[in-house]
């Protein structure tokens, strides 16, 4: 679900960058970049429960 939201946010950002004002596009890009890094860090720091 969170990856779908990120994909939609990236799509909206690209559409705004194509047709909208530049400051809005840059601020949306910054917000999406922060959200992507936060999602990555959330998944990268999960502990794996491995049993060998």
């Amino acid at each position: 679900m969170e990856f779908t939201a990120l994909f939609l946010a990236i799509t909206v950002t690209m559409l705004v960058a194509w047709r909208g004002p530049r400051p809005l596009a840059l601020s949306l890009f910054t917000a999406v970049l922060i959200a992507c890094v936060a999602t990555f860090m959330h998944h990268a720091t999960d502990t794996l429960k491995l049993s060998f």
Side-chain angles (χ1 to χ4, degrees), residues 26-47:
L26 288 174
S27 63
L28 284 175
F29 172 74
T30 303
V32 169
L33 184 64
I34 290 170
C36 286
V37 169
T39 301
F40 171 75
M41 292 305 293
H42 170 71
H43 288 283
T45 58
D46 281 345
T47 57

Side-chain angles (χ1 to χ4, degrees), residues 1-8 39-40 43:
M1 184 69 186
E2 64 200 46
F3 294 107
T4 303
L6 284 174
F7 178 77
L8 290 175
T39 301
F40 171 75
H43 288 283

